[in-house]
Amino acid sequence: MAASSFGALALQGQGERSLRGSGFPLGLKTQGSTERGKAQGSTERAPLWSLGPSGPRGLATARVLDVPERQPATAPAWGFRELTGRLVELSAAHAAAHLTTAFGLVLEAQLAGDRAAWVRLEGSTFFPPDAADGGVDLDALPVVCAPDVRTAGRAADTLVRSGGFGLVVLDLSDADPHAASLPVPLLTRLLSLARAEDAVVLILTRKPTDASSLDSLISLRAEAASQSSSRDDGEYEIEVRVLKDKRHAAGWSHRETCRGPAGLR
């Protein structure tokens, strides 16, 4: 897919794009279907969303901290289907391993016939050619550019509330650590909407392992890290280590084989 197919939507103004390379998982699952959107390969372009600065109206603010998570009988697993109905925080300390892992979920959602959307802050984005090289259908991936963290959170709220997306990624990786927090009422709505719409709300952050999650409302918090490799084919492993899980005991991990972008192979 040509890189020119990538288009970003802006809530307010236009942000400059910073280029960040990443690798992408190999051999993702493709089973499952949904009524939310068309399967990967559709020629229909992603719709242009109009999101006003005032945010959605009529939003509930009740805190759902004490509502228990569903306790599945199956073993824990990292995947698009396994994470539906959850508010997930995926962090990394330095490298862009969490971006690679997030795009693995985007690709998995698209291959399952679902739709995904990406919300980012001005001045920060992924590198579209790498995403396309990893198999992501950029024509089917709306990208929303927001001027600040709270506006980005409201944009994610609107996208999930529409019922048209099975995965909404809220990328706060480059936010000021002191301003990266989201209001509790907004996190409450995102969690409630993820459950109601059977969707995944994935929040990307950059923080050390011993830092706390965004809030106790986070259903699952994981950290992604790339594992060094001496292979000559450009492939390497990413480990996703779960630090907090309200449905299972924390401490389980997931590994996936990735390949680096063309410039690193």
Side-chain angles (χ1 to χ4, degrees):
M1 182 182 301
S4 60
S5 62
F6 172 80
L9 291 77
L11 286 179
Q12 295 178 356
Q14 296 180 353
E16 295 296 328
R17 283 192 281 181
S18 61
L19 306 184
R20 284 190 299 196
S22 57
F24 294 91
L26 304 175
L28 293 173
K29 297 177 288 184
T30 59
Q31 73 269 21
S33 61
T34 179
E35 298 178 353
R36 280 197 181 91
K38 300 180 182 297
Q40 184 186 25
S42 168
T43 58
E44 181 183 4
R45 293 192 63 84
L48 297 180
W49 289 81
S50 174
L51 301 176
S54 60
R57 294 172 294 178
L59 304 179
T61 58
R63 187 175 175 88
V64 293
L65 177 61
D66 297 326
V67 178
E69 289 279 339
R70 292 176 296 176
Q71 299 296 324
T74 58
W78 179 271
F80 169 63
R81 291 301 180 200
E82 290 79 8
L83 295 176
T84 54
R86 309 191 72 176
L87 183 60
V88 180
E89 180 183 357
L90 178 62
S91 59
H94 301 290
H98 62 327
L99 289 178
T100 302
T101 305
F103 269 106
L105 294 176
V106 170
L107 179 58
E108 190 175 347
Q110 290 184 342
L111 291 174
D114 218 322
R115 286 195 180 278
W118 193 281
V119 182
R120 67 176 180 86
L121 299 177
E122 289 181 350
S124 171
T125 189
F126 54 87
F127 188 43
D130 283 355
D133 184 58
V136 172
D137 184 354
L138 296 177
D139 283 344
L141 181 66
V143 178
V144 179
C145 174
D148 55 62
V149 170
R150 292 199 176 196
T151 307
R154 292 198 298 268
D157 182 299
T158 300
L159 291 166
V160 182
R161 184 178 299 277
S162 73
F165 298 92
L167 169 65
V168 174
V169 181
L170 177 55
D171 186 1
L172 304 181
S173 302
D174 290 338
D176 184 335
H178 301 291
S181 61
L182 292 166
V184 170
L186 179 55
L187 288 170
T188 301
R189 295 195 298 267
L190 288 173
L191 175 58
S192 299
L193 288 169
R195 292 175 176 176
E197 301 295 340
D198 203 24
V200 183
V201 177
L202 178 65
I203 304 175
L204 304 183
T205 57
R206 196 178 301 277
K207 61 177 61 173
T209 303
D210 57 357
S212 59
S213 60
L214 286 172
D215 190 84
S216 58
L217 290 168
I218 297 295
S219 173
L220 183 149
R221 185 201 163 194
E223 180 182 61
S226 58
Q227 306 297 312
S228 60
S229 172
S230 59
R231 299 176 59 167
D232 297 329
D233 57 5
E235 293 186 0
Y236 61 96
E237 281 193 342
I238 284 184
E239 180 183 24
V240 179
R241 189 161 63 93
V242 175
L243 307 176
K244 167 186 175 181
D245 188 350
K246 289 187 176 181
R247 293 186 184 179
H248 303 278
W252 60 273
S253 62
H254 164 80
R255 286 179 177 267
E256 52 194 26
T257 302
C258 305
R259 68 176 186 274
L264 299 179
R265 296 202 298 269

